């Protein structure tokens, strides 16, 4: 089958979702109000609370939530065939992710930009808040520790990516000054930023940079990880407009250019999808499609991490409440578009079915490599681009997305420590510097304590990211649902996804429990039990909180 069919059906479905369904959700369910005074104006401080142009904020929000996950998840999930991944990405984006992300923004903005964790204490109850905080901490720990390893490996394996990845920081600092200090039009700044970024991508392979194998007894991987966390700690303390916003904005534009190139190559080259529609001959050891598909593809369909970003950094920068539709829902569309590109690259970027099967020999194979190699082949076939250059372009794209997610992830972890300081009345913990140091130390303890000298400890608990992350999405939907019920508004649009996610997460946790037991992996088995207990408690809290909310008279809003 032609990949053009997948492209048109996928993009057409998501475009219709944004034009019609998101408008219905924004106007009839959330009832977004253009005159509502957002926390960005009420608490404006020039550091975290900054009213922001919605296009710039979309760039920050989208690139913060994207990371490498909407590429990696779909590129792994096509092992069950392209159809299940395609359906989950398109329908998940329209009916799950868009509602979840814009809803998290709305819920936070309506509550002084509190994080969804702190908000849970007020909306659901203190027990739920405690569970939520544990789950949030685990997710952020996994994301930050793992992305440090992933970026380090990308930089080691692709020395040509070092200059564009680090050079993007300098570009972002200049862009931030141009936008906020010199009042230069956003259009000119955007064009200049994209040209500068792609110039770095061109220059990078010509001046590859590699760290020595050993520096003061540390491997190159460990050295990169320490450098990345040192940078992320500094970035976490800087005002958002100085580095975080412009870096994310430029990366968002970069995604558009990358997608236009890849989708254009599909339309011109018309590659064929060689992977099976439904793979009935999966490699031994591949887990069941149901429920693992729905935790393997998180970003690109629905992801709890998005709720953390929406209620953590994005809600503090929302200029108008009505911007929640564009920033939140359209941000999810961006994720879905990237996931769709990953599906096409990982199923149509191979010459034959045998070539595809040679890569997908076990669950977890394919992944980023399938996206980069498959995407490079499509770019070469459609646009005549040299394969090596195309592969570098896609590698840098993945590395920059992972980097922006790590930036935001560490800032979010700092917010969580600060909120704990508020909750438990520890004034010292509410200060940015101690909270940032604790965030970095906790990540490094996991990276080097569990992973040894190469700092790969985050990878040890990564198998539980999918289930923990989707449990987090369920908790966010619970907060939104209760707020809707209390206002007397239809709640089925969030209650349906909430029930589906809880069922899939519980099933996946039970399957993983058996798998870890069979492998005698007692560390992951113990952690799985912790998450499973949290999921069961969340289910009980959901039932109790919803029963109470439905019994109460609706508020007049």
């Amino acid at each position: 089958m032609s990949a053009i069919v997948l492209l048109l059906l996928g993009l057409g479905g998501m475009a219709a979702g944004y034009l019609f369904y998101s408008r219905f959700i924004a106007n009839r369910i959330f009832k977004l109000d253009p005159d509502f005074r957002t926390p960005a104006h009420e608490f404006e401080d020039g550091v975290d609370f900054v009213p922001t142009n919605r296009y710039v904020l979309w760039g920050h929000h989208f690139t913060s939530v994207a990371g490498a996950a909407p590429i990696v998840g779909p590129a792994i999930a096509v092992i069950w065939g392209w159809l299940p991944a395609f359906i989950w990405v398109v329908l998940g984006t329209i009916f799950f992710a868009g509602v979840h992300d814009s809803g998290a923004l709305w819920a936070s903005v309506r509550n002084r930009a509190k994080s969804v964790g702190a908000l849970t204490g007020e909306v659901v109850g203190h027990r739920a808040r405690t569970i939520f905080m544990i789950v949030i901490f685990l997710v952020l720990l996994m994301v930050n520790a793992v992305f440090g390893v992933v970026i380090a490996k990308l930089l080691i394996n692709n020395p040509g990516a070092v200059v564009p990845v680090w050079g993007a920081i300098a570009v972002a600092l200049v862009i931030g000054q141009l936008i906020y200090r010199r009042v230069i039009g956003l259009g000119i700044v955007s064009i200049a930023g994209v040209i500068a970024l792609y110039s770095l991508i061109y220059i990078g392979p010509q001046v590859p940079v590699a760290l020595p194998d050993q520096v003061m007894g540390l491997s190159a991987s460990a050295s990169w990880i320490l450098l990345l966390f040192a940078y992320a700690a500094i970035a976490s303390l800087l005002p958002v407009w100085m580095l975080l916003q412009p870096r994310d904005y430029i990366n968002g534009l970069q995604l558009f250019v990358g997608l236009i190139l890849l989708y254009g190559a599909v339309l011109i080259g018309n590659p064929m999808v060689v992977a099976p529609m439904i793979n009935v001959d999966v490699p031994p050891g591949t887990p069941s499609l149901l429920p693992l598909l729905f935790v393997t593809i998180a970003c690109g369909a629905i992801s709890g991490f998005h709720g953390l970003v929406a209620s953590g950094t994005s809600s503090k920068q929302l200029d108008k409440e009505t911007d929640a539709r564009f920033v939140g829902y359209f941000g999810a569309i961006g994720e879905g578009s990237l996931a769709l590109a990953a599906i096409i690259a990982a199923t149509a970027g191979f010459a034959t079915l045998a070539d595809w099967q040679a890569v997908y020999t076990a669950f977890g194979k394919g992944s980023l490599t399938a996206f980069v190699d498959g995407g490079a082949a499509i770019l070469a076939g459609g646009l005549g681009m040299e394969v090596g250059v195309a592969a570098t372009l896609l590698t840098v794209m993945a590395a920059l997305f992972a980097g922006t997610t790590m930036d935001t992830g560490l800032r979010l972890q700092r917010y969580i420590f600060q909120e704990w300081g508020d909750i438990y009345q520890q004034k010292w913990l509410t200060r940015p510097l101690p909270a940032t140091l604790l965030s970095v130390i906790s990540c490094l303890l996991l990276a080097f304590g569990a992973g040894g000298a190469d700092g790969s400890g985050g990878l040890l608990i990564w198998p539980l990211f999918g289930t923990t992350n989707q449990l987090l999405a369920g908790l966010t939907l619970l907060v939104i649902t209760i707020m809707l019920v209390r206002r007397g508004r239809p709640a089925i649009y969030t209650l349906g996804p909430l029930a589906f996610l809880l069922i899939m997460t519980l099933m996946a946790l039970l399957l993983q429990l058996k798998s870890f037991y069979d492998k005698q992996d007692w560390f992951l088995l113990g952690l799985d039990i912790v998450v499973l207990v949290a999921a069961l408690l969340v289910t009980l809290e959901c039932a109790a909180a919803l029963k109470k909310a439905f019994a109460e008279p609706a508020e007049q809003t």
Side-chain angles (χ1 to χ4, degrees):
M1 188 185 73
S2 168
I4 294 176
V5 177
L6 284 187
L7 175 63
L8 296 180
L9 285 177
L11 290 185
M14 286 188 272
Y18 179 71
L19 290 174
F20 303 109
Y21 191 61
S22 77
R23 186 186 304 278
F24 166 74
I25 293 293
N27 294 341
R28 302 290 296 277
I29 307 302
F30 296 146
K31 297 185 178 179
L32 302 181
D33 180 0
D35 298 323
F36 180 78
R37 190 164 187 243
T38 62
H41 290 282
E42 188 174 357
F43 306 114
E44 184 173 357
D45 61 4
V47 178
D48 294 322
F49 292 86
V50 180
T52 303
N53 177 291
R54 68 175 188 159
Y55 297 105
V56 175
L57 185 55
W58 179 89
H60 156 67
H61 179 81
F62 165 66
T63 53
S64 295
V65 300
I71 297 171
V72 172
I76 290 175
V78 295
I79 198 168
W80 292 297
W82 60 262
L83 185 62
F86 176 78
I87 291 175
W88 174 230
V89 163
V90 176
L91 297 185
T93 296
I94 297 170
F95 297 107
F96 286 65
V99 179
H100 170 275
D101 295 9
S102 56
L105 261 175
W106 166 73
S108 179
V109 165
R110 283 283 163 169
N111 289 277
R112 301 159 62 91
K114 288 184 178 178
S115 78
V116 74
L119 193 54
T120 307
E122 297 179 12
V123 176
V124 184
H126 293 302
R127 280 183 314 218
R129 183 185 67 189
T130 302
I131 300 168
F132 213 139
M133 287 297 194
I134 294 171
V135 174
I136 288 173
F137 186 79
L138 281 174
V139 167
L140 289 175
L141 198 60
M142 292 177 189
V143 167
N144 292 333
V146 167
F147 276 36
V149 180
V150 169
I151 301 169
K153 288 187 181 300
L154 283 170
L155 295 179
I156 291 171
N157 295 332
N158 304 277
V162 172
V163 167
V165 166
W166 289 95
I169 297 168
V171 173
L173 286 169
V174 174
I175 294 295
Q177 294 294 325
L178 290 175
I179 293 176
Y180 284 95
R181 298 295 189 200
R182 298 182 182 275
V183 199
I184 293 178
L186 190 59
I188 296 174
V189 170
S190 303
I191 294 170
V194 170
I195 291 174
L197 195 58
Y198 274 89
S199 298
L200 289 170
I201 292 174
Y202 175 75
I203 294 169
Q206 301 176 46
V207 284
V209 178
L211 291 182
D213 291 340
Q214 292 287 323
V215 179
M216 298 175 66
L218 295 173
S219 66
S221 174
S223 300
W224 275 128
I225 291 171
L226 289 175
L227 286 171
L228 287 165
F229 272 106
Y231 154 73
I234 295 169
S236 163
L237 293 168
L238 292 175
V240 289
W241 62 266
M242 192 174 286
L243 177 59
L244 191 69
Q245 268 187 7
R247 179 165 149 84
D248 293 352
Y249 175 63
I250 293 299
N251 278 339
L253 295 178
Q254 180 225 175
L255 167 81
F256 266 122
V257 175
L259 283 181
I260 288 170
L261 290 175
L262 191 58
Y263 286 154
V266 170
L267 292 172
I268 295 170
N270 190 22
M272 294 293 115
V273 177
V274 299
M277 185 169 67
I278 295 177
N279 190 8
V280 295
D281 186 26
V282 295
T286 302
S288 167
L289 181 152
L290 186 70
L292 264 297
L293 172 68
F294 303 101
V295 297
T296 301
I297 302 179
C299 292
I302 181 170
S303 165
F305 184 71
H306 296 194
L308 293 184
V309 175
S311 66
T313 53
S314 300
S315 64
K316 293 177 176 61
Q317 303 168 62
L318 201 71
D319 185 29
K320 294 179 181 178
E321 190 181 58
T322 44
D323 290 347
R325 179 187 171 215
F326 181 77
V327 175
Y329 199 102
F330 197 62
I333 295 291
E335 283 253 311
S337 302
L338 185 55
L340 178 64
I343 291 173
I344 291 174
T347 58
F350 297 84
T352 65
L353 174 60
D355 290 342
W356 183 83
Q357 289 172 326
V359 172
Y360 284 87
T361 54
F363 185 69
K365 296 288 184 182
S367 191
L368 201 56
T369 304
F371 169 74
V372 172
D373 292 346
I378 290 173
L379 285 169
L383 302 181
M385 192 178 289
E386 199 271 321
V387 173
V389 173
T392 299
L393 188 149
L394 295 173
T395 300
V396 170
M397 192 166 89
L400 288 176
F401 274 114
T404 51
T405 298
M406 190 177 168
D407 282 4
T408 303
L410 201 70
R411 185 178 285 261
L412 290 172
Q413 208 166 357
R414 188 248 285 178
Y415 289 165
I416 295 299
F417 275 112
Q418 288 181 282
E419 286 183 352
W420 278 345
D422 274 334
I423 292 169
Y424 299 108
Q425 298 182 344
Q426 298 294 318
K427 196 170 180 179
W428 66 273
L429 194 54
T430 63
R431 299 190 186 103
L433 184 58
T436 299
L437 291 176
L438 283 176
S439 302
V440 172
I441 289 170
S442 61
C443 292
L444 293 179
L445 280 176
L446 174 62
F448 290 96
D454 69 346
S456 62
L459 295 175
L460 294 179
I461 63 174
W462 188 249
L464 281 170
F465 173 76
T467 46
T468 311
N469 188 50
Q470 298 308 62
L471 178 62
L472 189 58
L475 279 162
T476 304
L477 286 169
L478 172 64
V479 170
I480 301 168
T481 301
I482 291 176
M483 285 181 62
L484 290 174
V485 171
R486 285 179 178 166
R487 285 165 168 75
R489 299 177 193 171
I492 188 64
Y493 307 99
T494 53
L495 190 56
L498 164 63
F500 181 83
L501 275 186
L502 283 183
I503 292 170
M504 291 301 124
T505 302
L506 284 169
M507 289 173 63
L509 281 166
L510 289 171
L511 281 178
Q512 286 184 322
L513 196 69
K514 182 179 182 307
S515 170
F516 297 145
Y517 177 79
D518 291 342
K519 295 175 184 173
Q520 299 190 350
D521 190 334
W522 309 122
F523 176 68
L524 283 181
L525 181 76
L527 203 55
D528 190 296
I529 290 172
V530 170
V531 180
L532 183 60
V533 169
L536 290 171
L537 290 174
V538 165
T539 306
L540 294 174
E541 288 290 338
C542 282
L546 287 171
K547 182 180 178 183
K548 183 180 176 184
F550 277 115
E552 292 173 345
E555 298 171 358
Q556 297 299 316
T557 59

